[in-house]
Amino acid sequence: MAPVKQKKKNKKKPLDKAKKLAKNKEKKRVNAVPLDPEAIDCDWWDTFWLRNSSPSVPSDEDYAFKHFFRASKTTFSYICSLVREDLISRPPSGLINIEGRLLSVEKQVAIALRRLASGDSQVSVGAAFGVGQSTVSQVTWRFIEALEERAKHHLRWPDSDRIEEIKSKFEEMYGLPNCCGAIDTTHIIMTLPAVQASDDWCDQEKNYSMFLQGVFDHEMRFLNMVTGWPGGMTVSKLLKFSGFFKLCENAQILDGNPKTLSQGAQIREYVVGGISYPLLPWLITPHDSDHPSDSMVAFNERHEKVRSVAATAFQQLKGSWRILSKVMWRPDRRKLPSIILVCCLLHNIIIDCGDYLQEDVPLSGHHDSGYADRYCKQTEPLGSELRGCLTEHLLR
Amino acid sequence: MLSSIIDDKPASSTWLNRLRLNRGLTTDDDDASGNPLTLDDFLRRNHHTEIAATSSASDSPPSAPIPSDPELAESPSEEPVPGEWYGVMSDVLFELFNFSGSSKSSTIPGKKKLPRKQSNPRHCSLETPEDVVVPLVNQKSDDANCLPSVREFATSSSRSSYNKKPPAPEIRERRRSVVEGDGVDEEEEKGEKDLVGFSRSEVTVIDTSFKIWKSEKLVFRRRNVWKVREKKGKSRVVSKLKKLMKKKKKKKRKCDDVDDDDGGIARKKSKKMKISTSVSDNNPRYNVEEIHDEPESSNVSRRLLSKPRKEGSFGIHTSKKNSEAAAQGYRSLA
């Protein structure tokens, strides 16, 4: 019996090949044909706005647009231009909505942004756009993959000119000389299936979470970020595993011009961090003393203001892209870092494009609500010395 | 074979007779009950002289039969006569079957007989006999040198030896908390090479500090000790295989064409460069990292200047293997 079957298969093979070749030719022909603009869903915004207008949505169109997608129409167009090449739909592979029309790049970007901005379920986001859950899933992931490749230039360590600008702004705003940024960490909480529920991901508050660490400039722009490390670590460990730590320890960054203070002390470049971080020559934490002097109190107040830049940035990030502030339901842990990264990239794009966030967008509470700072006792003499100089400088 | 053994029985008895005669022993074959003496009976009676006799017996194939072995194994319990032969046999048996009352001449270390267990058990039943654990700890009373799995095992059963300090009550005050050292000894981890007892997680890390932002890593954790290793994907294995194949091909080529030698080396070098840069993009100097907290003895209550604060006891040490920056290392002041 078996040989007979084989013969049949052998007979079929040439036919199959011929069919495949013919199909490929058809595909090529179809792809070569220019798209019919009418077949593409271009009036998606009007339809969407009409369908989703409610008392809570601003009546002004531009405001409403920002309410849904966090970005202005101009910034939205820019984002579309970044990912157009990857998302452009061409039949027959293009995504088709319920009415049988192809999804435009704009609509795909809108679906993805809405999913990230609202953190609503794929089903409800799909219902808002008149597409299915699977389309939302597919479109969002395609967008994430595209943007994490195409928007890298929006998140990079600044060059020396830009660093000088940042330092002068920090000094102007908060009085701390030669400060290059503020560092902070937040948890992205998720649920895990029992099979994957490892203690490594279980954090201090007994949530399963993933860390996101960011270094921010005075405009709350990400200068550096790392994510993907399990929430079971401490913040100081996260720092040590991060590339930022290695770059700083090897003097590849934060090794620019030192500043000479009036009392003659030289201040190197540094960032400011909270009590969860160790005191290092390039990472300054607040004074921690049972009997603080006035100068120490004054320093800590200034320090806290700079540090709060990072905290506010996370508030804005998690408020703008609510998918990060909601508990994610069993996310793919390989994909989650990409989702987080894209939210960080969007955060920077919005700042770079000069958009402002609406008042109700940032989180009202702390970005890591429910989490207590874990005090890190690690101190290094050079860090301590630098902090002493800054404290003295602020007193004058 | 069975039939041959049966057939050989009379032959072996005649052989025994001949042997006895040769050695000048009595040829009285029958015991008190009148049954003919077997080789084993003979061995039992004359264990001092029989060792030589059995060694010579092993030269003759038909008498080699092993049926006597089980009887020998049972004999110590039947006849508890102490002697060299039984001493040797009991040692062999102890080593073979790992009897509880181990012989003094046993050469098998106890740690090899560790029971298989979960790499990171959460619970350990209190019935676990400590006397089983203790001798397995490499004959050292110090916890620091024991196997990780055993330490984990012992820890859960007798916590006092491990966690000297009780866990700090979690302070619920917003944004203020304390890190409590869990009593992990630093030296304990230094001597450790394997990852037994570590939980293992695969993580995808995105770090904008590197040229290639995304990387797959393996995170190993036991309590506060974290180790990170680069995840070696299939592609690497495949590439290694490919390299091997290419090398083989090149060798063949060298045999065929000697002129191509320089070009081949140049190509090899360029490929090596490519591989090294692709690895270094993501992890320039740190192939393996391990970090763990060190316990702090002080438990002094602290206060942040601007806001009320709690006590803290936390320190960090890093040891970076294969790293140039190891010398620069992390300078602890604890």
Side-chain angles (χ1 to χ4, degrees), chain A residues 4 43 48 68 154 160 187 226 250 304-305 333 354 371 392:
Chain A
V4 178
D43 54 352
F48 175 82
F68 287 117
H154 283 281
S160 54
H187 293 84
V226 59
N250 295 320
E304 181 59 25
K305 280 180 184 169
R333 282 191 314 220
Y371 284 85
E392 206 177 313

Side-chain angles (χ1 to χ4, degrees), chain A residues 197-217:
Chain A
S198 159
D199 278 350
D200 298 351
W201 298 92
C202 189
D203 59 34
Q204 63 197 66
E205 298 299 328
K206 308 298 173 203
N207 297 318
Y208 291 109
S209 64
M210 188 177 277
F211 269 125
L212 165 61
Q213 177 184 272
V215 182
F216 300 90
D217 68 6

Side-chain angles (χ1 to χ4, degrees), chain A residues 152, chain B residues 207-214 277 280-284:
Chain A
K152 282 184 171 179
Chain B
D207 195 328
T208 60
S209 305
F210 301 114
K211 275 184 189 172
I212 298 170
W213 287 6
K214 203 182 274 192
T277 48
S280 67
D281 277 346
N282 249 351
N283 219 355

Side-chain angles (χ1 to χ4, degrees), chain B residues 188-244:
Chain B
E188 167 186 347
E189 304 305 334
K190 275 183 179 172
E192 184 178 85
K193 297 287 177 192
D194 58 347
L195 293 165
V196 180
F198 279 75
S199 67
R200 179 175 171 277
S201 298
E202 290 179 15
V203 296
T204 303
V205 173
I206 293 181
D207 195 328
T208 60
S209 305
F210 301 114
K211 275 184 189 172
I212 298 170
W213 287 6
K214 203 182 274 192
S215 61
E216 300 283 321
K217 292 184 193 298
L218 287 173
V219 176
F220 298 91
R221 179 203 190 178
R222 198 183 65 227
R223 298 180 166 271
N224 278 359
V225 183
W226 294 80
K227 293 182 181 185
V228 179
R229 286 181 186 176
E230 289 295 315
K231 192 180 171 188
K232 289 172 186 172
K234 281 179 184 174
S235 56
R236 259 194 173 181
V237 178
V238 171
S239 65
K240 276 182 182 175
L241 283 172
K242 276 182 183 175
K243 271 174 80 181
L244 278 172

Side-chain angles (χ1 to χ4, degrees), chain A residues 58 63 65-71 114 117-118 312-322 325 347 350 356-365:
Chain A
Y63 279 100
F65 194 91
K66 260 193 163 182
H67 169 84
F68 287 117
F69 308 111
R70 309 296 184 225
R114 187 63 198 146
S118 67
T312 313
F314 275 133
Q315 268 179 300
Q316 290 195 354
L317 177 84
K318 283 187 160 181
S320 303
W321 312 105
R322 302 245 165 182
S325 60
H347 173 95
I350 285 169
Y356 61 92
L357 289 176
Q358 287 168 339
E359 281 177 11
D360 60 334
V361 169
L363 293 180
S364 52

Side-chain angles (χ1 to χ4, degrees), chain A residues 116-333:
Chain A
L116 298 174
S118 67
D120 292 343
S121 69
Q122 292 173 348
V123 174
S124 55
V125 171
F129 283 92
V131 296
Q133 171 268 327
S134 61
T135 305
V136 175
S137 171
Q138 204 177 333
V139 161
T140 307
W141 184 243
R142 275 176 64 173
F143 172 78
I144 287 167
E145 281 188 312
L147 199 74
E148 70 177 338
E149 282 302 316
R150 308 263 179 196
K152 282 184 171 179
H153 57 282
H154 283 281
L155 206 168
R156 60 184 173 193
W157 189 255
D159 57 23
S160 54
D161 290 344
R162 176 67 185 157
I163 280 281
E164 290 302 325
E165 195 183 330
I166 291 167
K167 288 194 296 191
S168 66
K169 284 286 177 188
F170 266 120
E171 185 164 10
E172 188 185 316
M173 292 162 78
Y174 308 105
L176 280 181
N178 234 27
C179 175
C180 295
I183 190 169
D184 202 0
T185 302
T186 195
H187 293 84
I188 311 298
I189 305 171
M190 58 190 167
T191 61
L192 289 178
V195 187
Q196 298 172 24
S198 159
D199 278 350
D200 298 351
W201 298 92
C202 189
D203 59 34
Q204 63 197 66
E205 298 299 328
K206 308 298 173 203
N207 297 318
Y208 291 109
S209 64
M210 188 177 277
F211 269 125
L212 165 61
Q213 177 184 272
V215 182
F216 300 90
D217 68 6
H218 61 285
E219 292 175 319
M220 298 179 209
R221 187 186 281 105
F222 275 96
L223 301 180
N224 181 285
M225 68 81 80
V226 59
T227 190
W229 294 105
M233 288 180 173
T234 57
V235 170
S236 54
K237 284 191 187 79
L238 168 72
L239 174 73
K240 299 234 163 55
F241 284 138
S242 69
F244 182 70
F245 177 85
K246 287 153 196 168
L247 292 177
C248 293
E249 284 288 297
N250 295 320
Q252 288 174 268
I253 56 171
L254 295 180
D255 195 40
N257 299 329
K259 179 154 189 168
T260 309
L261 300 180
S262 53
Q263 64 266 34
Q266 279 208 326
I267 301 290
R268 64 163 289 173
E269 289 181 345
Y270 62 91
V271 293
V272 155
I275 57 162
S276 304
Y277 284 97
L279 175 63
L280 304 172
W282 47 267
L283 203 168
I284 302 301
T285 56
H287 284 287
D288 181 39
S289 169
D290 292 332
H291 307 289
S293 63
D294 289 345
S295 59
M296 285 176 173
V297 173
F299 172 83
N300 277 5
E301 281 174 4
R302 296 282 183 96
H303 180 282
E304 181 59 25
K305 280 180 184 169
V306 180
R307 203 195 63 81
S308 67
V309 169
T312 313
F314 275 133
Q315 268 179 300
Q316 290 195 354
L317 177 84
K318 283 187 160 181
S320 303
W321 312 105
R322 302 245 165 182
I323 195 167
L324 300 182
S325 60
K326 292 184 176 179
V327 179
M328 287 203 208
W329 175 252
R330 299 183 174 185
D332 184 332
R333 282 191 314 220

